[in-house]
Amino acid sequence: MDAAGATDTANETTHGITHENDVVLGPEAWAEALTKLYGPVSASAVQEKPFRAMLRARELGAVRVSAVHCPAAELRDAGPCDGRAARYHLALVLVGELALEQAGRTAWARSGGLVLLDTGRQFRMRLVAPWNTVVTAHLSRSLPDLAPEVLGRLTARELSGREQLAAMAAGFLARLARDTTPYRPCDEVRLGAMVTELVRMLTDHGLGDEAQAPAEHALVMLRRIQRYVLHHLGDSRLTPDRVAAAHHISTRYLHRLFQRQGLTVAAWIKAQRLERCRRDLTDPRLRHLPVHVIAARWGFDRAADFSRAFRVAYGVTPTGLRAGACEPTAGVRSLTTNSARNANDEHASPQHTHR
C-alpha cells in the first residue's frame, strides 16, 4: 500500500484508532509535532517518497496519551528536555515494529509489545515496518516513588504484552487511544492517575525486589508525605488512599514507606491528631472551645470515638486533662524519636471546615 492509500484508510480507522485529519507532512514537521510530547527530537524518513503521518493526543490530568500512524522513520533525542515535556513514555505497538536503543540496550517490540523510554537520556527509536501504529502514555516528569536510576533498569526492555498485567495495560491504553468521550476535568485526572498506576504496577512487576527505592529517596518521599498530612490533619476525609493519590503513588507503596520506619499510616495520622488535640486542650487561650469542637478541628467527627482514643493514648479523658485532674500517663506513639521525625511539626495548622 502506498502512502496515499494508507492515509485514506487511516483517516477512517486504523485498528480501532480514529484519526481526525491530524495529518503531518514531512519529517521536519513530524519532529516538531513529536517535540511537544517527547521534548526535543529529530526525525528522518527511511524512504524518500513523500512522508505522511497521523497524530492525535489527549490530556488526562498530568498524563497525555497519543496515537500515531506513520511510515518507517527514525527518532533521536535532539537536546535535553526543557521541563515542559514528560520524561517517561510507555509505548504500545499496535501495528508494525519498534526498536528502541538506550542505555546500551536494544528492545524490539511488535504487535502488543510495550517498551519504556526515558527522554532524559540519549536514545534512538526506529519504527521499522512500512506502516506503524503506536499508542504512548506520556507520564509526568517522574514516577515519584521510583528513582531515575531504578527506572533506568527497565528502559529499552520490552515489557511482554503476553503477560496478564502487561496485556491489561495494553488493552486499557488501546481503548483510551480510540476513545473520544468528552470527560469532565475531574474524570480526566482520575483516568490519568489510572494510567500512572498501571505503569507503576508494570515497573514493580518488571523490577521485582529491585522496585524498592533507595533508602535516601524513600526517606525524602516519606518526609514530603508527612508534611502534607500535617497540613491536612483537620480534614476528616484524610485516608491512606487519598494521601497516596495526592502524591501519585500506590497505597501499597505508601504503606511500605511507613513500615520501613516501624509505623502504620492510619496509626500515625491518628497519633498526630491526638497530639494536637492534647496541645489545644491544655492551652489556656482555647478554654472557651468545647472539647468536641477541638476534636472536630483536628479531624475527629465522632466525639465518642475521640474520647475513647484519647483515653487509650493518654490514660485520661479529654475533659479530665483540661480540668487538670491528672497528667497524661502515656505518650502517643509518634515520630519525634524516629529518624523520620516531623521536621515542620510546629508549622501544622488545622483546616477548618463548616459543620
Side-chain angles (χ1 to χ4, degrees), residues 300-323:
F300 290 100
D301 280 337
R302 297 170 58 89
D305 292 343
F306 163 67
S307 182
R308 182 165 48 252
F310 192 92
R311 182 163 189 164
V312 169
Y314 292 104
V316 62
T317 65
T319 303
L321 177 66
R322 169 170 271 184

Side-chain angles (χ1 to χ4, degrees), residues 7 20 35 55 72 106 112 131 167 212 215 243 247 277 281 287:
T7 300
E20 300 173 345
T35 291
L55 167 66
T106 301
W131 283 94
Q212 300 282 345
V243 173
H247 292 82
C277 289
L281 288 169
R287 291 190 66 85

Side-chain angles (χ1 to χ4, degrees), residues 255-331:
H255 286 301
R256 195 163 66 202
L257 283 175
F258 276 77
Q259 287 168 359
R260 289 174 179 173
Q261 304 298 327
L263 305 164
T264 66
V265 183
W268 190 83
I269 293 175
K270 184 178 181 180
Q272 302 307 312
R273 285 172 166 163
L274 287 171
E275 177 61 17
R276 277 146 191 81
C277 289
R278 184 194 67 79
R279 293 180 187 179
D280 286 358
L281 288 169
T282 56
D283 189 339
R285 297 168 298 179
L286 301 178
R287 291 190 66 85
H288 65 286
L289 292 179
V291 170
H292 73 274
V293 172
I294 288 178
R297 76 197 294 253
W298 291 112
F300 290 100
D301 280 337
R302 297 170 58 89
D305 292 343
F306 163 67
S307 182
R308 182 165 48 252
F310 192 92
R311 182 163 189 164
V312 169
Y314 292 104
V316 62
T317 65
T319 303
L321 177 66
R322 169 170 271 184
C326 59
E327 292 296 325
T329 58

Side-chain angles (χ1 to χ4, degrees), residues 44-105:
S44 59
V46 173
Q47 299 181 355
E48 294 183 0
K49 62 182 180 180
F51 184 93
R52 192 177 182 94
M54 279 67 69
L55 167 66
R56 189 165 62 112
R58 70 181 304 169
E59 294 189 9
L60 299 172
V63 175
R64 283 184 175 181
V65 175
S66 69
V68 303
H69 184 66
C70 67
E74 179 178 302
L75 299 179
R76 290 178 179 267
D77 61 287
C81 292
D82 58 7
R84 290 175 293 182
R87 173 168 181 175
Y88 296 102
H89 312 260
L90 183 69
L92 163 66
V93 178
L94 290 185
V95 179
E97 187 173 2
L98 181 153
L100 173 61
E101 299 173 19
Q102 187 167 58
R105 298 186 294 269

Side-chain angles (χ1 to χ4, degrees), residues 27-308:
E28 291 183 2
W30 184 235
E32 182 178 350
L34 293 180
T35 291
K36 298 175 183 178
L37 299 172
Y38 292 92
V41 296
S42 62
S44 59
V46 173
Q47 299 181 355
E48 294 183 0
K49 62 182 180 180
F51 184 93
R52 192 177 182 94
M54 279 67 69
L55 167 66
R56 189 165 62 112
R58 70 181 304 169
E59 294 189 9
L60 299 172
V63 175
R64 283 184 175 181
V65 175
S66 69
V68 303
H69 184 66
C70 67
E74 179 178 302
L75 299 179
R76 290 178 179 267
D77 61 287
C81 292
D82 58 7
R84 290 175 293 182
R87 173 168 181 175
Y88 296 102
H89 312 260
L90 183 69
L92 163 66
V93 178
L94 290 185
V95 179
E97 187 173 2
L98 181 153
L100 173 61
E101 299 173 19
Q102 187 167 58
R105 298 186 294 269
T106 301
W108 290 85
R110 298 170 179 84
S111 180
L114 292 157
V115 292
L116 183 67
L117 166 66
D118 176 4
T119 50
R121 307 181 183 194
Q122 290 185 332
F123 71 91
R124 178 191 183 202
M125 181 189 294
R126 289 179 289 139
L127 299 164
V128 180
W131 283 94
N132 306 271
T133 302
V134 179
V135 176
T136 304
H138 309 273
L139 307 174
S140 57
R141 286 293 299 162
S142 64
L143 290 173
D145 48 349
L146 280 180
E149 59 269 22
V150 178
L151 277 171
R153 299 168 195 161
L154 275 183
T155 56
R157 295 186 188 278
E158 184 182 2
L159 306 173
S160 176
R162 290 183 295 276
E163 296 182 10
Q164 186 174 1
L165 183 58
M168 182 188 303
F172 183 62
L173 286 176
R175 285 192 293 272
L176 275 181
R178 63 176 176 260
D179 184 14
T180 58
T181 305
Y183 293 105
R184 297 177 302 171
C186 60
D187 292 330
E188 290 179 342
V189 171
R190 292 190 182 102
L191 284 170
M194 290 172 64
V195 173
T196 301
E197 180 62 17
L198 271 175
V199 176
R200 184 62 180 86
M201 291 169 65
L202 281 173
T203 56
D204 260 356
H205 182 75
L207 290 168
D209 292 339
E210 293 182 76
Q212 300 282 345
E216 183 178 352
H217 176 80
L219 189 56
V220 170
M221 172 61 71
L222 177 61
R223 287 171 174 165
R224 185 183 309 146
I225 290 171
Q226 289 175 332
R227 288 194 295 269
Y228 172 87
V229 169
L230 293 175
H231 184 69
H232 293 83
L233 279 178
D235 186 351
S236 61
R237 300 167 299 175
L238 188 68
T239 63
D241 286 343
R242 292 177 69 94
V243 173
H247 292 82
H248 307 290
I249 62 176
S250 66
T251 304
R252 179 167 63 94
Y253 182 73
L254 174 70
H255 286 301
R256 195 163 66 202
L257 283 175
F258 276 77
Q259 287 168 359
R260 289 174 179 173
Q261 304 298 327
L263 305 164
T264 66
V265 183
W268 190 83
I269 293 175
K270 184 178 181 180
Q272 302 307 312
R273 285 172 166 163
L274 287 171
E275 177 61 17
R276 277 146 191 81
C277 289
R278 184 194 67 79
R279 293 180 187 179
D280 286 358
L281 288 169
T282 56
D283 189 339
R285 297 168 298 179
L286 301 178
R287 291 190 66 85
H288 65 286
L289 292 179
V291 170
H292 73 274
V293 172
I294 288 178
R297 76 197 294 253
W298 291 112
F300 290 100
D301 280 337
R302 297 170 58 89
D305 292 343
F306 163 67
S307 182
R308 182 165 48 252

